[in-house]
């Protein structure tokens, strides 16, 4: 029987010590616990930490974009080498997978990635994915590794995605861990603290936003801390951290690609009436649009958000955004057909 897939993402803050260096005791635990899971799952590790591992080699490091790229180039082999050292006692080989955003936007390239991962799994090898920072540019870049992990989970049809972070889970107003979130909504997102760690790009808002996308596409997400005993094993079992529940609905492969793999060209803000129509599986009309942010051409994918900016759907456009902005009579202009809209 084919094994289910699990994606485990480790943020920089979750695998580094107070001085910013990689905490090898955490890597020891990742290896031990992942080895126990491998019998039952095909596993992808998505690990940040390359920049943190490499920046000490650059004198007077200031964090400029070229310095970050250089630090990543130094740190990636060092980081994978540390992982390999601690997986070796379990006779588990690792493979480095440096990904770029275009690998998911281009269907042929994604299928090559998928075939490579499946070959690795058949040979009991675990891929460690990270962004290819050395060549990535601002326009075609993952927002952070939370996005990369989510794209892999959705693209491969993972059962679960685990986000390891520096806190034990999503905290309520009193600072207590929320054990289960049935649906991630605006109220949930408002609980996320805005600050990021000193060594990472993402924060709790990022994790919740990508957990929300994963949930809507049928994947369970867990936000947890490696500082808990048997953290990964407990996260898989749902007994630690915050469990964000998958929504019980079927989504086609095409719609999954639109929601995650496609490159987003712009965003439209819509009123309450338009949102209600979308939820009833109706098309998006220009009359419901209150603002266009960025631009898109016919056939490109754009986000649909409420007037507070929360994204509710993605859609393939029937017209270019300039038509919406330059037309006064918008009542019957269809921006996107219902079949080309994916609710998130």
């Amino acid at each position: 029987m084919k094994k289910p897939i699990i994606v485990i993402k480790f943020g920089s803050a979750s695998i580094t010590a107070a001085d910013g260096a990689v905490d090898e005791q955490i890597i020891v635990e990742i290896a031990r616990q992942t080895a126990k899971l491998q019998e039952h799952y095909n596993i992808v590790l998505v690990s940040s930490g390359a920049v943190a591992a490499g920046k000490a080699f650059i004198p007077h490091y200031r964090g400029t974009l070229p310095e970050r790229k250089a630090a990543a180039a130094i740190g990636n082999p060092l980081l994978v080498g540390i992982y390999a050292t601690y997986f070796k006692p379990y006779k588990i080989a690792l493979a480095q997978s440096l990904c770029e955003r275009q690998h998911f936007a281009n269907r042929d390239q994604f299928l090559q990635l998928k075939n490579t991962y499946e070959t690795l799994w058949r040979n009991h090898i675990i891929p460690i994915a990270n962004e290819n920072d050395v060549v990535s540019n601002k326009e075609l870049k993952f927002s952070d590794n939370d996005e990369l992990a989510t794209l892999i989970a959705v693209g491969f049809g993972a059962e679960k995605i685990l986000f390891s972070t520096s806190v034990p889970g999503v905290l309520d107003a009193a600072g207590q861990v929320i054990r289960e979130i049935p649906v991630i909504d605006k109220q949930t997102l408002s609980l996320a603290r805005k600050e990021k760690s000193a060594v990472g790009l993402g924060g709790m808002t990022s994790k919740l936003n990508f957990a929300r996308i994963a949930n809507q596409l049928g994947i369970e997400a867990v936000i947890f801390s490696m500082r808990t005993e048997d953290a990964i094993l407990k996260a898989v079992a749902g007994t630690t951290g915050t469990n964000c529940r998958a929504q019980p609905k079927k989504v086609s492969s095409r719609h999954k690609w639109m929601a995650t793999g496609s490159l987003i060209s712009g965003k439209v803000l819509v009123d309450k009436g338009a949102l209600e129509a979308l939820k009833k599986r109706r098309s998006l009309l220009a009359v419901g649009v209150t603002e266009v942010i960025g631009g898109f051409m016919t056939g490109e994918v754009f986000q649909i958000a409420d007037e507070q900016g929360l994204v509710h759907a993605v859609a393939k456009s029937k017209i270019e955004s300039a038509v919406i902005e330059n037309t006064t009579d918008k009542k019957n202009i269809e921006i996107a057909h219902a079949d080309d809209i994916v609710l998130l």
Side-chain angles (χ1 to χ4, degrees):
M1 185 179 292
K2 189 175 180 181
K3 293 180 184 178
I5 296 167
I6 189 166
V7 177
I8 313 174
K9 185 265 179 176
F10 300 99
S12 295
S14 69
I15 63 167
T16 54
D19 61 0
V22 175
D23 187 338
E24 296 194 20
Q25 284 304 308
I26 293 293
I27 309 300
V28 167
E29 281 300 303
I30 291 172
R32 181 183 68 82
Q33 295 175 55
T34 303
K36 289 186 177 182
L37 291 174
Q38 194 187 31
E39 182 181 347
H40 306 288
Y41 290 94
N42 286 327
I43 300 167
V44 182
L45 303 181
V46 179
S47 181
S48 303
V51 173
K55 66 183 182 181
F57 294 86
I58 300 176
H60 312 297
Y61 179 83
R62 293 170 297 167
T64 64
L65 184 58
E67 287 178 337
R68 286 187 61 83
K69 287 177 177 289
I74 299 165
N76 264 315
L78 293 175
L79 183 63
V80 173
I82 294 170
Y83 274 106
T85 296
Y86 293 110
F87 272 86
K88 188 174 181 180
Y90 302 100
K91 296 181 172 56
I92 297 174
L94 304 176
Q96 185 175 45
S97 173
L98 294 178
C99 300
E100 299 170 36
R101 187 61 180 82
Q102 65 196 37
H103 295 157
F104 295 87
N106 183 299
R107 185 68 178 168
D108 288 338
Q109 289 187 341
F110 173 72
L111 290 176
Q112 290 179 41
L113 178 68
K114 187 174 183 180
N115 288 337
T116 301
Y117 277 26
E118 288 173 347
T119 301
L120 292 171
W121 288 331
R122 281 196 299 272
N123 290 281
H124 310 292
I125 300 167
I126 296 177
I128 297 186
N130 197 359
E131 179 164 14
N132 192 356
D133 288 304
V134 178
V135 297
S136 293
N137 59 47
K138 284 187 176 181
E139 288 72 27
L140 294 176
K141 183 175 174 62
F142 301 106
S143 58
D144 53 45
N145 271 347
D146 296 330
E147 180 181 13
L148 172 57
T150 304
L151 291 180
I152 292 172
V154 173
F156 282 76
E159 178 181 283
K160 297 176 188 286
I161 181 169
L162 310 182
F163 295 101
S164 174
T165 185
S166 57
V167 293
V170 181
L171 307 180
D172 62 20
Q176 299 300 308
V177 175
I178 301 171
R179 292 299 178 192
E180 181 173 313
I181 300 177
V183 179
I184 298 175
D185 53 18
K186 288 182 183 178
Q187 184 178 358
T188 307
L189 291 170
S190 70
L191 294 170
R193 298 191 303 175
K194 303 300 181 185
E195 68 267 20
K196 303 171 186 177
S197 73
V199 291
L201 288 177
M204 189 58 73
T205 299
S206 170
K207 286 163 184 61
L208 282 171
N209 274 315
F210 287 111
R212 178 172 175 260
I213 292 172
N215 290 167
Q216 292 294 334
L217 298 176
I219 300 169
E220 183 175 340
V222 182
I223 300 171
F224 73 107
S225 169
M226 278 301 297
R227 309 292 170 178
T228 302
E229 184 180 0
D230 286 335
I232 298 173
L233 300 175
K234 288 178 179 176
V236 172
T239 57
T240 192
T242 299
N243 294 270
C244 307
R245 295 304 181 193
Q247 302 304 302
K249 62 181 182 182
K250 292 184 178 180
V251 183
S252 69
S253 296
R254 176 174 174 270
H255 278 184
K256 285 182 178 180
W257 176 83
M258 282 179 57
T260 58
S262 58
L263 293 173
I264 302 299
S265 298
K267 180 188 291 186
V268 298
L269 306 187
V270 300
D271 58 27
K272 291 182 179 179
L275 275 181
E276 289 302 316
L278 293 180
K279 292 175 183 177
K280 295 176 182 176
R281 302 304 306 146
R282 294 176 182 166
S283 300
L284 176 64
L285 303 180
V287 67
V289 175
T290 60
E291 186 179 352
V292 178
I293 301 172
F296 50 85
M297 302 299 292
T298 302
E300 292 185 331
V301 177
F302 64 94
Q303 294 177 324
I304 304 171
D306 59 29
E307 292 177 290
Q308 287 71 50
L310 180 64
V311 176
H312 290 264
V314 296
K316 184 178 179 181
S317 61
K318 290 188 68 175
I319 60 173
E320 58 185 89
S321 56
V323 174
I324 309 169
E325 298 177 296
N326 297 329
T327 304
T328 54
D329 184 13
K330 301 179 180 179
K331 188 172 182 181
N332 295 316
I333 297 177
E334 187 178 73
I335 302 175
H337 189 273
D339 291 342
D340 290 327
I341 299 173
V342 186
L343 295 175
L344 301 176

